[in-house]
Amino acid sequence: ELPVNIKFLVEGEEEISSPHLPEFVRDNASFLKADGGVWEFGGSGPTGIQEAWLGLKGILYVQLEVQLLSHDAHSANACVLPSAAYTLVHALESLKDKNGQILIPGFYDDARGLSAKELDMANKVDLSEEVIKEHYGIARFINGMSGMEVKQAYYGGPTCNICGLDSGWQGNGSKTVLPAKASAKIDFRLVEAMDPEDILKKLRTHLDERGFSDVKIAWYEGYPAAKTPIDHPFMQLIVKANRRAYGHDPVVHITSPGSGPLYLFKDKVPMVSIGCGDFFSRVHSPNESILLENYQKTIKRTVYLIDEMSHW
Amino acid sequence: ELPVNIKFLVEGEEEISSPHLPEFVRDNASFLKADGGVWEFGGSGPTGIQEAWLGLKGILYVQLEVQLLSHDAHSANACVLPSAAYTLVHALESLKDKNGQILIPGFYDDARGLSAKELDMANKVDLSEEVIKEHYGIARFINGMSGMEVKQAYYGGPTCNICGLDSGWQGNGSKTVLPAKASAKIDFRLVEAMDPEDILKKLRTHLDERGFSDVKIAWYEGYPAAKTPIDHPFMQLIVKANRRAYGHDPVVHITSPGSGPLYLFKDKVPMVSIGCGDFFSRVHSPNESILLENYQKTIKRTVYLIDEMSHW
C-alpha cells in the first residue's frame, strides 16, 4: 500500500491552450488540493544534468489576417491596387523593432520583473550558452546577449514571435501575382502578471491606431504565467529524490521559457516540472526520443519522491 | 497569295522572363526586320472596347531567403534565438513605405517619366476606374488615387510587390514554432530606362547597408521596359483594321502595366499589342475564357491589317 495519496490529471489539449481545463479546475476544486505536484515536462539539460522548473510563461496566440481584394490579381496591377501582403508586413513591423523591443503601447506595463532572490538564483545557473548556440548553428543570441542578459530574457522576457507567414505563390520559380490575402501566426510569451486578454486589447488598439484596421485578429487563445515560489519546501523534496535517483542535484530554473496552464493550479498545488526527456529529445519534431537510462531513473525518482513525501 | 510577308515568332518562356530569347534575337537579326508587328496580348477592356498597347514594362523578379537557425526551434526560445521571419519582415518593410514609395536608394534615379505627349494621350483614356474597383471589391486605389494620379501610376509607375510569403506553420490552429527559414518573392515592375541589373545591385546594397546581409537574393530574373512611339504610323494601320473589324476605334494605351521582353525588338519592329481576350478573361486563372465574338472579329482584324499593310 502506498504511503501517500496520488492523483493523476491527464490533459490532452495543452497544445491548443487547454480550452476546457479552466472549467474542470473550477468544478473539481477539492480533487485538486494537494501538498505537492509533479508537472511532467522536461528532463535533462544540454550537459546531461536533470532540470526542474518552477514556473511556466503565459501565452497569447493570435492569427492575423488581411484580405484587400476579392481575388488575386495579376501583379501588373500592383501599381494601383492595395497589397494584403505588404499591409501585413507593415503591421508586423509595427509590433516589434529590429532589436526585439515590442512596440505595442502598454505591452510591458504589467510585466513583473524578476525578484532579487530570483536574479540571485538565475545567476547561479549555467544556461550552457555555447551548447545552445552550437545546437542551433548560431554565432550569437539576439543583440549579442550573454550571461545575465540571456538569463533575464530566458526567465523574465516576454516575446512577440512569428510562428508562420502565408501569402501568394510559394512554389518554385516566379509567379507574378498580387495576392488578395496574407496571414501571420504570432505567439506572445507572457511573464507573470501580464493578462492575455489585456494584451489582446492593446494589440487591437495598436493596430487600429496605426491604421491597420484591415488587419483582422481572426482567432486567438491564451492564458497567463505562473510560478511556484523558489523557496517552497516541496522543491527540497524534489532535490532529495533527484539526488537519490541520479546522484546529482538538479538545476532549478525560476521558470521555463515555455508555456502551460500552471496558473490554474496556483495557490492549490505547489507544482514543479520534471520529466524524462533530454535536451536533444527533438520535442515536437520527427524522431522524438528519450534515453532509456533517463526513463528508468525517472521511475526511481518518482518512487523516491513518494518516499520523501511520506515522511515530510 | 498573301500581299505581304508574314513571320511568326512563338515563345513559351515569357512567364519565366524569356531566358533564351535574347540569344535568339541576337542570332536572327535579319529574320526580325519588319515594318510592323502584332504582339498577341490583351483584347477588350472593361467596357467591351478593344484596346491596343504600345509598350510593356520591364521586370526584376527576386526571391529573398533568410535562414538564421539550423532547424526550427520551439518558440519558447524566441526570447534568445534570432527570428528569420521577423528579419524578413523588417527587410521587406525597409523596401517600401505604407504609401507605396519605394525606399531603395537610387531606385527612381533612371525612371523616365511620361512625356508631355504621353500625358496628353493618357488624359484622353478612360481607365474605367469604377469597373476595376468593383471587379476587385475595393473602395479605393492606393492612397485614394483617382484620375491622372491613377494613370500616372498605371502607365508610368514602377512597383515593388510581394508575390509570396512563406515561413513556418501555415495550417489550421496554433503551432508554437520559431521557424528557421523565411522567404519572399518580390517583383519590381520597371519603367523605361530602368535597368534590372542596376536595380538588383541597388537592392543588394540597400539590404547590406540596412543590416540585412542575412537576407539572401536566392535567385532573380528580369528585363527592361520598352515602348513603341505613340506617333508611329503603324499604329494608324492598327486603328483602321480595328475599326473595320469591330466598328470602333481602339483605346490606345502608352504601355501595359504588365511586362514582356519587348525591349529585344525595339528599333527592329514597331510592335503593338492587341489580342482576342477581354477584361473578364481570368488571365492566368482557372476557367480562363475568351468570347467567340471577339475570336471571330480578331481573325477579321488580322485580315484587315494585312490588307492595310499591303497598300501602306
Side-chain angles (χ1 to χ4, degrees), chain A residues 75 90 165 170 174 187 221, chain B residues 75 96 165 170 174 187 221:
Chain A
S75 76
H90 283 119
L165 282 178
Q170 301 176 1
S174 58
D187 67 341
E221 53 195 28
Chain B
S75 75
K96 192 166 83 164
L165 282 178
Q170 300 175 2
S174 58
D187 68 339
E221 53 196 27

Side-chain angles (χ1 to χ4, degrees), chain B residues 258-279:
Chain B
S259 304
L262 183 57
Y263 78 101
L264 291 169
F265 304 89
K266 211 184 163 182
D267 308 324
K268 290 186 180 71
V269 195
M271 289 279 194
V272 178
S273 297
I274 47 177
C276 61
D278 62 273
F279 184 75

Side-chain angles (χ1 to χ4, degrees), chain A residues 4-268:
Chain A
V4 294
N5 289 325
I6 296 180
K7 299 167 186 173
F8 289 93
L9 178 64
V10 181
E11 200 241 1
E13 296 187 323
E14 187 251 329
E15 295 298 339
I16 55 167
S17 292
S18 304
H20 298 95
L21 198 57
E23 188 186 340
F24 175 84
V25 170
R26 195 183 59 229
D27 295 347
N28 294 276
S30 62
F31 174 78
L32 293 167
K33 273 184 71 178
D35 297 315
V38 168
W39 189 280
E40 205 293 318
F41 174 101
S44 63
T47 57
I49 304 295
Q50 288 294 306
E51 299 187 297
W53 310 83
L54 287 165
L56 285 157
K57 286 185 184 175
I59 192 166
L60 170 66
Y61 200 110
V62 299
Q63 177 154 322
L64 302 182
E65 291 182 359
V66 196
Q67 174 160 10
L68 299 184
L69 305 174
S70 55
H71 55 282
D72 287 0
H74 192 292
S75 76
N77 297 295
C79 51
V80 295
L81 299 181
S83 164
Y86 243 115
T87 299
L88 182 67
V89 161
H90 283 119
L92 292 173
E93 184 271 337
S94 80
L95 300 183
K96 191 164 85 165
D97 73 14
K98 284 199 259 182
N99 300 319
Q101 187 74 9
I102 298 162
L103 305 172
I104 300 165
F107 182 82
Y108 296 100
D109 280 0
D110 298 325
R112 194 179 295 163
L114 301 177
S115 69
K117 271 188 193 173
E118 288 173 331
L119 286 170
D120 187 49
M121 189 175 169
N123 195 33
K124 289 172 191 149
V125 169
D126 178 3
L127 278 185
S128 307
E129 291 180 25
E130 294 311 315
V131 182
I132 294 172
K133 283 182 193 170
E134 196 186 334
H135 182 62
Y136 289 111
I138 57 169
R140 50 208 294 282
F141 292 115
I142 296 169
N143 296 329
M145 293 186 298
S146 66
M148 278 304 284
E149 293 167 319
V150 175
K151 292 172 184 175
Q152 292 258 25
Y154 194 73
Y155 297 127
T159 65
C160 167
N161 171 62
I162 296 172
C163 296
L165 282 178
D166 184 8
S167 188
W169 176 244
Q170 301 176 1
N172 286 331
S174 58
K175 181 179 175 184
T176 46
V177 61
L178 170 58
K181 298 185 209 179
S183 71
K185 292 177 192 273
I186 311 276
D187 67 341
F188 297 93
R189 300 279 171 179
L190 308 178
V191 299
E192 254 193 317
M194 295 177 87
D195 171 19
E197 294 282 341
D198 172 65
I199 298 299
L200 181 69
K201 270 185 212 157
K202 285 171 174 167
L203 170 64
R204 183 68 268 167
T205 302
H206 167 81
L207 290 173
D208 289 343
E209 287 180 353
R210 294 286 294 255
F212 296 114
S213 296
D214 281 337
V215 178
K216 307 298 177 203
I217 300 175
W219 56 259
Y220 68 93
E221 53 195 28
Y223 46 70
K227 290 188 278 195
T228 297
I230 60 175
D231 47 7
H232 194 285
F234 178 62
M235 188 59 228
Q236 291 316 309
L237 303 197
I238 298 275
V239 171
K240 281 184 197 168
N242 195 82
R243 206 180 291 152
R244 285 170 69 181
Y246 286 90
H248 64 247
D249 280 9
V251 175
V252 183
H253 295 282
I254 306 161
T255 181
S256 162
S259 304
L262 183 57
Y263 78 101
L264 292 169
F265 303 89
K266 210 183 164 183
D267 308 324
K268 289 187 181 69

